[in-house]
Amino acid sequence: MDGLPSEEEQEMTTETATVDVDVTVPDPQTASHSKELDSNFQTVGEVRVANARMTCTDVNVYYGDKHAIKHCNLDIGENQVIAMIGPSGCGKSTFLRCLNRMNDTIDICRVTGEIKLDQQDIYDKRLDVVPLRAQVGMVFQKPNPFPKSIYDNIAYGPRIHGLASSRAELDEIVERSLSKAGLWNEVKDRLDQPGNGLSGGQQQRLCIARTIAVEPEVILMDEPCSALDPIATAKVEELIDELRQNYTIAIVTHSMQQAARVSQRTAYFHLGSLVEVGETTQVFTNPQHKLTEDYITGRFG
Amino acid sequence: MTETTQANNNRGRSIDIVNASLKRRYARERRFRYLGLSAVILGLLFVGTLFVDIISKGYSAFVQTHIVLDVYFDPEVIDPDGTADPAVIARADFRQIARQPLRELFPEVSGRRDKRALYKILSSGAPYQLLDMVQADPSLIGTRQTVELIADDDIDMLAKGHIDRTAPPADRRVNDKVIGWVDKLESQGLIRKNFNTAFFTNGDSREPELAGIGGAVAGSFYTLLVTLSLSFPIGVAAAIYLEEFAPKNRWTDIIEVNINNLAAVPSIVFGLLGLAMFINLFGLPRSAPLVGGLVLTLMTLPTIIIASRAALKSVPPSIREAALGVGASRMQTVFHHVLPLAMPGMLTGTIIGMAQALGETAPLLMIGMVAFIVDVPGGPLDPSTVLPVQVFLWADSPERAFVERTSAAIMVLLAFLVAMNAIAVIMRRRFERRW
Ligand SMILES: Nc1ncnc2c1ncn2[C@@H]1O[C@H](COP(=O)(O)OP(=O)(O)OP(=O)(O)O)[C@@H](O)[C@H]1O
Ligand SMILES: [Mg+2]
């Protein structure tokens, strides 16, 4: 309204820009500081890290004809939290869902490029997605508890993977997971009640507990705190910090403060492109790309 | 900004425009409501007429007229040599035993024709009733018992008031003499109307008073058993495969179109197919519930597959993602999470398919389930008929007594259908879960 272009207009400008620069390739140095997206999908900042757990090389995602992720290169480092930020619809969830092949469930979705987990290409045809997803767990953007009891929601993963040898052990996993997610005190007296009878924020924590119950090594969290009050949010952030000691975490968030608080690295996505990656402190204090700067200073419409 | 404000001013306040349009909107809503209501009322009216017609015609079939007689189980007739041999008893002339009390009640009746008319008050099944009694308890021989013997269908109709006594005798099934006898029996309290158990246990018969739906119900039961045990697992398995596992490509599209087409194929075509395939090619017996069940399986499969696929589609994808996300395999996802949520819809579809199959007639005519079968079938390979075919057969019979039996059979059929649909509703309620 205040003269800022709407999202569609932005997309249009980008597209014209892409067509334009196909003829004359501009100097990457100047392009990176301009307001436009880079025509070669060059990311500003260091996309690689020394101790990478997951390595993405030239990842493209298409929903039918829609090019949702464009030539994305990114490393996800061991024992650290990477935050993914960006305007709504820029492809954060899409990118996150590539990392445990959750996009397989969408018929029209096509992924190209290479994503490696511990040097193993996860899009290899021979790769079994079941152990992959046990290893790379996910908390979805919309809370999606099973229409079963709270207990069964948590116990399901450990049960199918055979992680508990006895009922007592399973009980312990359930209690530990719920406690970590900050939900135990609220539900300990009604574990047999349906999980979808909880409030939205409780459901979100239930889904977090369900994910950590199978102890995945990489945890993908898509806006895990979007429906939580500040206290529960603090609890989840504490959990993320604690998990970081042993796990690798990628988190999508719309809260700049949260990204600054919990993450070591931050990736900024814009209209399907990975615009800038870097140390969180550096990205927030001294963004290199104009788009990143606009976004984190709130000048983005 | 300024432009929109300008536009607003030109148009006037939004709320005024809204208020102005309200009256028209509400009028339209009201019209729609009345239209819907009248459609519902019309539907109820039709159903009500159907029910009233059938029940008013059929309710009297649930009682049967009996004649109370003092029967002497004459040893001279039943077992003259005192052998107590069941074979001898079975050959005995129980007609004579049944007629004797009538002769005693109406000593004035003489002449061959009158006597025969008198004996015809009793059903031709009455002697067998006595035989059954003696076979069950041989000590009855030589005693005198008060027995309720089943009356002939004409007497039954007369007693129920379905025969117009004022009509000229030539147009009546019973003449004045018989009416006189019946009235005399009635005045002595010897005519009794009892609940008609035979109607539910007997097979078909040429004599309306002996005909029952027992055989047809058993035939329907075996037929539906075969249909259910084949079409439910096959239909659900096909739906699960198509919905959850099959790749979405041109082949699955073709299969989908064909399944939808199959649901619209006239049922008689399935009957012809069954005749050609199951009977002529595979050599399965004619008129058997097994073949009927197979044919009805072909017919109900599309219904079940379509309903099951719709049920699977309605399970939100987020549930599948949740299961896959914690590392469940596709099989586990389907069987642990999707199937339980889709089950009510699948069961509803199956029961509706079964109800359809229960009421189906045409394809069964093609495979010979229309035969006149007296015995109640004991298994899916015995020749039998089914309820709707029984209705069809009886509706074709000239006897007045078959009219009420036809309606009664329809009532039983409708009762089964209503019960099945009620079960479908209950199951849907019971298994329904929110997500
Ligand atoms: N299943 C789908 N089918 C088609 N297009 C999709 C699908 N899912 C996402 N998209 C498109 O891909 C783009 C990226 O979507 P994505 O969900 O990844 O955005 P996001 O960054 O997570 O946004 P938000 O912050 O609002 O969650 C959007 O333009 C969206 O319209
Ligand atoms: Mg998202």
Side-chain angles (χ1 to χ4, degrees):
Chain A
M1 281 287 182
D2 290 327
L4 270 176
S6 77
E7 222 165 280
E8 276 126 308
E9 284 172 286
Q10 281 242 331
E11 181 141 41
M12 272 180 31
T13 20
T14 329
E15 238 132 65
T16 29
T18 318
V19 173
D20 278 349
V21 285
D22 262 358
V23 192
T24 55
V25 182
D27 177 11
Q29 213 56 45
T30 52
S32 66
H33 291 278
S34 77
K35 215 172 147 65
E36 262 104 60
L37 282 171
D38 186 83
S39 57
N40 295 325
F41 307 102
Q42 273 293 308
T43 303
V44 179
E46 190 43 69
V47 296
R48 302 290 168 210
V49 290
N51 56 343
R53 194 73 212 267
M54 298 192 83
T55 312
C56 309
T57 314
D58 196 25
V59 173
N60 287 284
V61 183
Y62 304 85
Y63 290 113
D65 292 332
K66 184 175 166 57
H67 200 170
I69 293 287
K70 299 164 185 164
H71 304 283
C72 180
N73 294 290
L74 186 65
D75 274 7
I76 296 171
E78 177 110 50
N79 296 346
Q80 61 168 222
V81 179
I82 180 164
M84 299 180 183
I85 58 171
S88 185
C90 67
K92 305 177 297 294
S93 299
T94 303
F95 183 72
L96 207 64
R97 290 164 60 95
C98 290
L99 299 178
N100 70 345
R101 286 186 59 176
M102 218 56 223
N103 281 335
D104 289 11
T105 59
I106 299 170
D107 286 322
I108 55 168
C109 183
R110 198 159 54 80
V111 180
T112 66
E114 192 184 62
I115 301 177
K116 282 183 167 172
L117 172 69
D118 300 332
Q119 309 311 314
Q120 162 77 47
D121 183 6
I122 65 168
Y123 277 88
D124 191 330
K125 282 214 161 46
R126 285 159 304 178
L127 182 115
D128 188 355
V129 292
V130 169
L132 171 73
R133 288 183 189 143
Q135 210 175 352
V136 185
M138 181 153 197
V139 178
F140 294 87
Q141 184 164 3
K142 271 185 287 185
N144 53 355
F146 298 128
K148 296 178 189 281
S149 74
I150 293 171
Y151 184 95
D152 285 337
N153 260 283
I154 311 297
Y156 181 69
R159 231 182 239 148
I160 56 170
H161 295 305
L163 300 183
S165 54
S166 67
R167 174 81 195 195
E169 213 174 318
L170 196 60
D171 289 348
E172 197 200 311
I173 292 179
V174 171
E175 178 173 353
R176 187 159 25 111
S177 310
L178 284 170
S179 307
K180 279 188 180 172
L183 192 61
W184 176 250
N185 286 330
E186 284 159 72
V187 300
K188 63 173 178 240
D189 299 324
R190 45 170 178 157
L191 289 176
D192 55 343
Q193 281 175 25
N196 38 9
L198 295 173
S199 79
Q202 288 172 327
Q203 289 187 20
Q204 213 164 34
R205 280 175 284 158
L206 182 69
C207 292
I208 294 173
R210 181 178 64 194
T211 303
I212 58 178
V214 292
E215 305 196 347
E217 293 162 20
V218 181
I219 303 177
L220 312 173
M221 295 182 159
D222 200 345
E223 294 180 42
C225 301
S226 59
L228 298 189
D229 63 60
I231 298 165
T233 304
K235 187 102 191 168
V236 170
E237 287 178 6
E238 215 173 279
L239 168 72
I240 292 172
D241 218 44
E242 180 193 323
L243 290 172
R244 179 168 65 87
Q245 314 306 324
N246 303 308
Y247 303 105
T248 302
I249 297 168
I251 176 171
V252 171
T253 177
H254 278 299
S255 158
M256 261 24 106
Q257 291 83 349
Q258 182 170 54
R261 278 195 302 264
V262 300
S263 70
Q264 284 74 54
R265 287 173 81 223
T266 298
Y268 174 68
F269 285 82
H270 188 100
L271 291 175
S273 294
L274 177 53
V275 173
E276 181 165 352
V277 190
E279 297 293 322
T280 299
T281 41
Q282 179 256 310
V283 170
F284 279 104
T285 52
N286 183 22
Q288 299 298 303
H289 199 289
K290 188 83 177 71
L291 285 168
T292 319
E293 191 188 329
D294 283 356
Y295 183 73
I296 62 174
T297 53
R299 248 179 285 146
F300 186 86
Chain B
M1 275 282 190
T2 41
E3 231 168 278
T4 36
T5 326
Q6 197 69 46
N8 269 339
N9 288 344
N10 287 347
R11 217 179 46 202
R13 286 177 64 206
S14 286
I15 187 67
D16 295 336
I17 299 172
V18 170
N19 280 336
S21 72
L22 273 186
K23 213 176 141 196
R24 205 156 27 91
R25 269 197 271 174
Y26 287 151
R28 197 178 294 161
E29 259 167 49
R30 236 182 347 263
R31 263 202 308 280
F32 185 75
R33 208 164 49 230
Y34 290 145
L35 224 68
L37 204 64
S38 54
V40 169
I41 289 173
L42 203 67
L44 284 179
L45 219 63
F46 281 135
V47 173
T49 319
L50 177 79
F51 272 63
V52 167
D53 177 59
I54 288 172
I55 292 174
S56 65
K57 271 192 201 143
Y59 77 98
S60 54
F62 294 113
V63 293
Q64 169 67 38
T65 308
H66 288 79
I67 299 174
V68 185
L69 293 175
D70 240 3
V71 178
Y72 176 54
F73 290 93
D74 190 353
E76 286 300 308
V77 178
I78 300 172
D79 191 11
D81 304 329
T83 54
D85 182 359
V88 173
I89 293 174
R91 273 201 307 274
D93 185 9
F94 279 92
R95 264 194 310 188
Q96 216 177 313
I97 308 252
R99 286 169 181 182
Q100 186 57 38
L102 281 177
R103 273 198 293 270
E104 290 165 10
L105 272 173
F106 300 98
E108 72 280 7
V109 177
S110 59
R112 267 178 63 117
R113 186 180 292 160
D114 280 357
K115 273 189 171 160
R116 196 185 289 158
L118 176 63
Y119 300 151
K120 273 209 65 187
I121 288 180
L122 289 177
S123 161
S124 58
Y128 295 98
Q129 219 182 326
L130 295 173
L131 170 63
D132 287 345
M133 281 176 71
V134 173
Q135 279 179 333
D137 181 11
S139 68
L140 288 177
I141 298 171
T143 61
R144 216 166 238 289
Q145 302 286 336
T146 310
V147 183
E148 292 177 342
L149 285 172
I150 187 162
D152 186 62
D153 60 311
D154 289 334
I155 307 306
D156 188 34
M157 289 299 101
L158 185 65
K160 286 172 181 168
H162 291 321
I163 288 179
D164 183 10
R165 290 169 186 243
T166 57
D171 293 351
R172 269 192 256 131
R173 293 271 303 168
V174 283
N175 59 33
D176 292 333
K177 258 193 202 142
V178 176
I179 290 179
W181 296 329
V182 172
D183 286 346
K184 187 175 168 208
L185 286 171
E186 185 118 51
S187 66
Q188 294 180 5
L190 296 180
I191 298 238
R192 219 168 269 174
K193 288 187 204 136
N194 297 339
F195 181 71
N196 193 357
T197 33
F199 179 69
F200 294 98
T201 54
N202 281 5
D204 199 4
S205 170
R206 296 280 181 231
E207 304 296 335
E209 72 273 15
L210 299 177
I213 54 168
V217 169
S220 275
F221 173 75
Y222 290 122
T223 308
L224 283 191
L225 200 67
V226 172
T227 308
L228 181 66
S229 52
L230 288 173
S231 62
F232 182 66
I234 296 177
V236 169
I240 290 177
Y241 176 74
L242 287 174
E243 206 52 52
E244 303 286 332
F245 294 100
K248 302 275 174 291
N249 57 26
R250 200 139 50 90
W251 289 111
T252 43
D253 283 350
I254 291 174
I255 290 174
E256 169 148 24
V257 168
N258 274 307
I259 289 172
N260 291 344
N261 281 340
L262 225 50
V265 168
S267 57
I268 193 136
V269 176
F270 289 112
L272 285 167
L273 178 70
L275 176 65
M277 209 161 81
F278 300 128
I279 294 179
N280 293 344
L281 195 65
F282 298 162
L284 292 176
R286 276 180 147 271
S287 313
L290 176 67
V291 181
L294 287 169
V295 168
L296 293 181
T297 300
L298 296 179
M299 209 198 75
T300 47
L301 257 182
T303 314
I304 295 181
I305 294 178
I306 291 170
S308 300
R309 289 188 71 173
L312 288 169
K313 268 203 191 88
S314 71
V315 176
S318 66
I319 299 288
R320 292 185 185 82
E321 291 191 338
L324 293 172
V326 294
S329 66
R330 262 160 96 169
M331 196 82 162
Q332 286 171 327
T333 303
V334 170
F335 282 94
H336 295 164
H337 300 287
V338 180
L339 208 52
L341 292 175
M343 225 0 130
M346 289 179 164
L347 290 176
T348 310
T350 306
I351 291 173
I352 289 170
M354 286 298 117
Q356 236 174 38
L358 176 64
E360 197 51 71
T361 322
L364 302 181
L365 302 183
M366 301 309 302
I367 57 158
M369 288 189 88
V370 67
F372 171 73
I373 290 150
V374 177
D375 295 322
V376 175
L381 286 171
D382 292 349
S384 68
T385 184
V386 292
L387 262 178
V389 176
Q390 190 69 75
V391 169
F392 168 77
L393 285 170
W394 283 351
D396 236 17
S397 301
E399 284 91 344
R400 176 63 182 77
F402 271 127
V403 174
E404 63 172 28
R405 264 147 226 275
T406 308
S407 293
I410 293 172
M411 277 158 74
V412 172
L413 186 61
L414 286 178
F416 275 120
L417 290 174
V418 169
M420 286 171 88
N421 287 325
I423 291 172
V425 171
I426 291 169
M427 288 222 216
R428 208 164 42 210
R429 291 263 166 81
R430 171 75 49 90
F431 289 99
E432 204 157 58
R433 276 188 265 183
R434 283 181 313 124
W435 51 69

